[in-house]
Amino acid sequence: MNAKEQVQQISGVNPYKCMKCGKCSATCPAYEEMDIKPHQFVSYVQSGNIEALAACKSMWKCLSCFACVERCPRDVQPGRILDAARQIVVRQRGGNYLTAEEIPPLVDEDLPQQLLVSAYRRYKR
Amino acid sequence: MIFSYYPGCTLRNKAKDLDAYARASAEALGFTLQELDNWQCCGGVYPLGTDEIASKLSSVRALAEAKDKGQDLVTLCSACHHVLKRVNDDMTNVEDIRTRANNYMKLAEPYAGETKVLHFLEVLRDVVGFDTLKEKVVNPLTGQKIAAYYGCLLLRPGKIMALDDPENPKLLEDFIRALGAEPVVYPYRNECCGGYISLKEPDMAKNMCNTINESAKGFGAECFITACPLCRYNLNKTEQGLPVYYFTELLAEALGVKEGAL
Ligand code: SF4
Ligand code: SF4
């Protein structure tokens, strides 16, 4: 299976349903921080340029807020594409964005456990 | 009436108050939250990958235990609610996930989504009823202007959470009214607080929470209520932020069971 097929399979997204309306990018709260924008995720899959997607900053900026999923008029679920690219990076390439050593100085007294487990799930294998 | 109850990791630690006020309020309203015998952390974020199985099993075990007991499964934390409902949807509707998850489990009968997952707020609205709740209030929060902060996970994706209209919810506003207070509706009530980004990029979360805070203040709110420990943590980092309470704290206060609940 090539990388394009892998992303399609892991994400379950059909990128050809997208009509490029841009609503996902308009509603994304992390838009400013992203190098590849939500409405562009599908184009990278369509053209098979998974390497660029796998090297993007955006996957570490996504908040899993599902605004793009809820508000897409075509039910494309662009956030899932980014997640699949992230899966390829953390599963196959050891590309963890968070290490256990980094954590202690980031923790303050009020920090809820939920924050650590969520960050672990998103940033690490 | 007895419900199976999934507290989740944070309600056993930093958010003990969210849990304690809910239990005390439940008793005052005539139902009991019976903690599952065995539960593990849900992981906080629903695993989106279609091939993710192992990361969903803690939810499946909780769902299966509630099924064994023949009880609906109630949860309080927005994230646990989100993960449990989505995994339950997978177990109901996605054959591949259902088969593979069951292969890991030693169940007498395969789990296929039989358990009904309810957020505590749904119990208040659909089982107790806001009219009944209103009658049971002994300390109405008269005059308080309260901003409901929904955030993301309670409402989205709307089709699966099926809690309320994801773009124009009224569940928490109706709850606030039942307690005798005045809900403040403001545009950012269902926008993201930054979630887990606050661990590595606190400034990004802070910016987002500042916007939410300004939005609520601009409409005259005096405080926020939320169901999510992470939303509360992030909102508490804003400058001159409004106070943030768990919805269960105000509930316990209005029902007169706050003292001694903790
Ligand atoms: S909102 Fe949906 S249809 Fe519109 S650009 Fe984004 S993915 Fe494509
Ligand atoms: S889920 Fe991620 S990509 Fe989608 S709107 Fe939220 S932050 Fe943006």
Side-chain angles (χ1 to χ4, degrees), chain A residues 13-113:
Chain A
V13 167
N14 172 5
Y16 297 98
K17 283 203 315 196
C18 170
M19 60 183 188
K20 305 273 194 310
C21 69
K23 204 169 175 187
C24 49
S25 283
T27 197
C28 174
Y31 177 85
E32 298 286 343
E33 308 281 332
M34 288 187 172
D35 47 0
I36 298 179
K37 312 293 188 188
H39 71 285
Q40 297 172 317
F41 302 160
V42 287
S43 313
Y44 283 81
V45 182
Q46 284 172 356
S47 64
N49 192 359
I50 306 304
E51 278 313 304
L53 205 56
C56 76
K57 264 194 342 188
S58 305
M59 67 176 75
W60 310 120
K61 306 292 177 180
C62 171
L63 310 159
S64 305
C65 76
F66 305 112
C68 59
V69 171
E70 186 68 50
R71 293 168 187 160
C72 169
R74 300 277 297 156
D75 196 26
V76 174
Q77 312 199 18
R80 293 189 98 124
I81 296 175
L82 197 57
D83 186 70
R86 182 189 64 81
Q87 291 286 8
I88 287 177
V89 171
V90 297
R91 284 183 196 169
Q92 298 171 1
R93 306 181 185 184
N96 293 332
Y97 188 62
L98 181 73
T99 59
E101 299 74 53
E102 266 181 274
I103 292 176
L106 302 175
V107 173
D108 62 34
E109 204 193 322
D110 300 326
L111 187 132
Q113 286 68 27

Side-chain angles (χ1 to χ4, degrees), chain B residues 6-166:
Chain B
Y6 180 96
C9 63
T10 310
L11 278 76
R12 280 286 158 274
N13 289 286
K14 292 291 173 193
K16 285 195 176 115
D17 42 348
L18 173 56
D19 165 88
Y21 292 133
R23 289 181 194 238
S25 303
E27 295 300 332
L29 292 168
F31 66 99
T32 297
L33 298 177
Q34 192 179 84
E35 186 168 336
L36 293 174
D37 300 323
N38 283 304
W39 59 266
Q40 295 115 15
C41 172
C42 72
V45 180
Y46 168 74
L48 280 172
T50 55
D51 56 353
E52 288 273 327
I53 303 295
S55 47
K56 291 177 178 156
L57 294 178
S58 64
S59 301
V60 178
R61 285 191 196 100
L63 292 161
E65 189 185 324
K67 175 189 162 185
D68 278 349
K69 294 187 166 143
Q71 294 168 347
D72 293 346
L73 182 59
V74 173
T75 186
L76 273 159
C77 163
S78 300
C80 300
H81 161 257
H82 181 93
V83 175
L84 288 170
K85 271 194 179 165
R86 290 188 84 169
V87 172
N88 208 31
D89 180 70
D90 287 340
M91 295 301 284
T92 311
N93 296 314
V94 185
E95 192 186 340
D96 179 55
I97 294 178
R98 178 169 62 236
T99 308
R100 292 201 288 152
N102 274 300
N103 286 343
Y104 279 92
M105 315 279 293
K106 285 195 195 120
L107 299 173
E109 180 197 10
Y111 181 77
E114 291 88 349
T115 298
K116 191 169 173 194
V117 180
L118 293 171
H119 194 275
F120 189 89
L121 284 162
E122 285 177 291
V123 178
L124 294 183
R125 179 189 61 193
D126 303 333
V127 182
V128 176
F130 285 142
D131 289 338
T132 308
L133 171 59
K134 196 173 178 179
E135 285 164 18
K136 302 230 167 162
V137 165
V138 293
N139 301 321
L141 310 179
T142 315
Q144 291 190 33
K145 295 196 165 104
I146 301 173
Y149 180 61
Y150 290 88
C152 315
L153 299 178
L154 262 185
L155 299 169
R156 293 194 284 269
K159 265 186 242 149
I160 298 172
M161 293 304 110
L163 187 84
D164 203 347
D165 179 340

